[in-house]
């Protein structure tokens, strides 16, 4: 049995992360780009984006909440866009950020000798 999970959609990625799959091959350029954006963020920008996305999402109807949400959005707009686009829960976004290393576009050898081209490869760093 292969230790590689192939995903094409956000829903597939969410399931693979929730299962703590060891190696995830993403076969979608847009999804790979969003994961790359999340992984390349500094820890400070990541924390600000998570906080700002939450404030903006929960207070969009409240003009008092607009200020902090807009400030955070201006500071980390691309990262927030990726977090919102990927559509994962905060717990799973943290898992992408903390628990996986990534490799860009590559070819992965599967059990049995076949290979598959990936837009991005995620590997668990704790293998536990």
């Amino acid at each position: 049995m292969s230790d590689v999970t192939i995903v094409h959609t956000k829903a597939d990625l969410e399931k693979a992360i929730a299962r703590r799959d060891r190696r995830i091959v993403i076969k979608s350029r847009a999804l790979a780009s969003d994961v790359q954006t999340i992984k390349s963020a500094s820890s400070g920008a990541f924390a600000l984006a998570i906080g700002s996305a939450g404030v903006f999402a929960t207070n969009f109807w409240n003009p008092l909440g607009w200020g902090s949400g807009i400030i955070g959005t201006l500071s980390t707009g691309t990262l927030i866009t990726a977090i919102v686009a990927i559509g994962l829960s905060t717990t799973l976004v943290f898992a992408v950020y903390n628990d996986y290393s990534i490799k860009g576009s590559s070819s992965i050898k599967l059990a049995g000798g076949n290979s598959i081209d990936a837009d991005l490869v995620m590997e668990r760093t704790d293998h536990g």
Side-chain angles (χ1 to χ4, degrees):
M1 185 166 132
S2 177
D3 66 343
V4 175
T5 301
I6 300 168
V7 301
H8 295 89
T9 66
K10 293 182 285 188
D12 293 342
L13 179 61
E14 184 170 16
K15 290 174 191 170
I17 294 168
R19 285 190 308 260
R20 301 173 48 92
D21 290 357
R22 190 174 85 74
R23 185 180 296 159
I24 302 169
V25 171
I26 298 176
K27 295 281 293 170
S28 161
R29 287 181 196 249
L31 188 56
S33 176
D34 291 337
V35 170
Q36 177 74 39
T37 298
I38 290 169
K39 285 297 293 180
S40 65
S42 69
S43 58
F46 182 75
L48 179 61
I50 291 291
S52 296
V55 167
F56 195 72
T58 59
N59 294 314
F60 73 94
W61 54 268
N62 178 354
L64 297 176
W66 293 355
S68 57
I70 289 171
I71 291 167
T73 301
L74 293 174
S75 304
T76 56
T78 303
L79 181 55
I80 290 173
T81 300
I83 290 169
V84 170
I86 212 164
L88 300 176
S89 70
T90 302
T91 302
L92 295 178
V93 170
F94 272 108
V96 168
Y97 188 74
N98 291 320
D99 298 343
Y100 286 89
S101 64
I102 60 170
K103 295 179 196 172
S105 183
S106 62
S107 183
I108 299 296
K109 189 91 88 173
L110 301 174
N114 294 329
S115 63
I116 184 167
D117 292 330
D119 292 310
L120 188 94
V121 178
M122 298 172 55
E123 291 190 22
R124 281 198 67 81
T125 54
D126 63 0
H127 302 296

